[in-house]
Amino acid sequence: MAAVEATVAPGGGSCSPGGGGSVPVLFCFSVFARPSSVPHGAGYELLIQKFLSLYGDQIDMHRKFVVQLFAEEWSQYIDLPKGFLVSERCKVRLVPLQIQMTTLGNLTPSSTVFFCCDMQERFRPAIKYFGDIISVGQRLLQGARLLGIPVIVTEQYPKGLGSTVQEIDLTGAKLVLPKTKFSMVLPEVEAALAEIPGVRSVVLFGVETHVCIQQTALELIGRGLEVHIVADATSSRSMMDRMFALERLARTGIIVTTSEAILLQLVADKEHPKFKEIQNLIKASAPESGLLSKV
């Protein structure tokens, strides 16, 4: 893994690109993607300089980063190979080393929080598959109680849109908060997260996928948290809005997954003391719908 301090001096480095003109490169950072170009044969140092010229006002100069290259062979980003030189059109990204790269996607109860977003009565007639996402949401909250995972719940303008539906049991929730902002990331939520030691991952579900879920997820990753969106527990009025939101979020590095995958990843082992209860929960309440076919 090639890590770099963000304080690379402009014009520094030992790379001396040869002739051959410029090569188009897509430079990605956080939720942004900006096309540019570098000289043919440009190496690591010139890529870093280009990142700084494109995103310098957004990069924390005291952090360390890793540069990654999108590999068509693997259909995902890989760490920039040693001695890499740009010879053809490519896509690179700058990733803050805020968590160990090897832990990406892993969930443990001690470092996870569940976010339940706006599962309210007035949305019932408008949201596609609302009954299914209520059922799955309730299963997730039961799992959270079994595993001792904190739960944060929001309600969008409850005075006009009603409270969380009765089917969702909020017993033991760390926070139930009204809001008017679309994102769940409110000062009270940030304060609650600060009280939870070692929190690294947020499991996010609710409505609507393309509005409150999307804006919440983008704010959370912007704060260095890993986000898992539960596809079978989030929906919108329009399946097209939902589909494009999930595609966009997945491209930013957010993990789109399912409730069963989340719960079994959290127990991790058949010998886990809560495995049987989680297994029974999954067996008893898995709805069969067309929701996942719309991802």
Side-chain angles (χ1 to χ4, degrees):
M1 179 189 297
V4 62
E5 295 282 359
T7 51
V8 177
S14 58
C15 180
S16 300
S22 61
V23 180
V25 177
L26 184 65
F27 289 85
C28 304
F29 176 70
S30 183
V31 299
F32 306 104
R34 295 175 182 171
S36 188
S37 62
V38 297
H40 185 278
Y44 180 74
E45 295 293 338
L46 284 183
L47 291 175
I48 289 297
Q49 291 168 28
K50 180 63 75 168
F51 272 114
L52 290 174
S53 70
L54 291 170
Y55 299 108
D57 59 336
Q58 300 170 62
I59 293 174
D60 182 350
M61 305 300 279
H62 302 289
R63 297 284 292 280
K64 288 188 176 182
F65 296 83
V66 60
V67 179
Q68 295 187 320
L69 171 73
F70 188 82
E72 298 289 348
E73 177 185 1
W74 303 106
S75 298
Q76 67 177 24
Y77 283 96
I78 62 171
D79 296 340
L80 196 70
K82 186 176 181 180
F84 173 80
L85 298 175
V86 176
S87 60
E88 59 184 358
R89 182 189 186 99
C90 61
K91 179 166 64 172
V92 292
R93 72 177 180 181
L94 191 64
V95 183
L97 290 178
Q98 56 214 7
I99 56 176
Q100 295 180 11
M101 299 298 285
T102 54
T103 68
L104 288 176
N106 289 334
L107 287 173
T108 59
S110 61
S111 62
T112 300
V113 180
F114 280 18
F115 274 32
C116 176
C117 182
D118 306 349
M119 302 276 273
Q120 293 159 255
E121 191 59 45
R122 284 288 294 276
F123 291 126
R124 190 185 295 270
I127 301 296
K128 297 291 176 62
Y129 299 102
F130 194 67
D132 291 339
I133 67 170
I134 289 173
S135 175
V136 176
Q138 173 61 5
R139 169 168 61 176
L140 287 165
L141 294 182
Q142 287 177 275
R145 284 192 291 273
L146 286 170
L147 298 173
I149 295 171
V151 174
I152 292 175
V153 182
T154 58
E155 298 173 340
Q156 181 72 19
Y157 186 54
K159 183 178 178 180
L161 297 174
S163 301
T164 301
V165 296
Q166 290 185 351
E167 298 97 314
I168 297 285
D169 182 1
L170 300 181
T171 301
K174 181 176 181 65
L175 186 67
V176 180
L177 190 69
K179 67 182 178 71
T180 56
K181 179 182 176 182
F182 294 137
S183 170
M184 293 179 68
V185 185
L186 305 170
E188 297 92 336
V189 172
E190 293 191 89
L193 287 173
E195 294 173 358
I196 305 170
V199 63
R200 189 185 71 231
S201 306
V202 173
V203 172
L204 174 61
F205 57 96
V207 300
E208 287 186 71
T209 313
H210 65 294
V211 186
C212 297
I213 294 293
Q214 178 169 269
Q215 293 185 31
T216 300
L218 293 175
E219 282 208 53
L220 289 170
I221 62 168
R223 284 159 170 74
L225 290 164
E226 183 180 85
V227 180
H228 299 246
I229 293 179
V230 188
D232 52 333
T234 181
S235 191
S236 298
R237 288 166 297 153
S238 160
M239 288 294 97
M240 182 174 291
D241 284 332
R242 177 180 180 273
M243 177 183 71
F244 280 104
L246 291 177
E247 287 183 0
R248 176 193 175 186
L249 292 166
R251 286 196 299 270
T252 67
I254 290 164
I255 297 164
V256 180
T257 184
T258 66
S259 58
E260 183 169 332
I262 289 287
L263 292 172
L264 291 177
Q265 192 171 11
L266 285 165
V267 294
D269 193 318
K270 179 183 177 297
E271 299 306 316
H272 190 287
K274 298 293 183 180
F275 171 73
K276 274 293 183 185
E277 290 172 90
I278 294 293
Q279 184 184 47
N280 291 336
L281 185 61
I282 290 170
K283 288 179 178 179
S285 58
E288 292 293 337
S289 75
L291 188 59
L292 289 179
S293 68
K294 308 296 183 183
V295 174

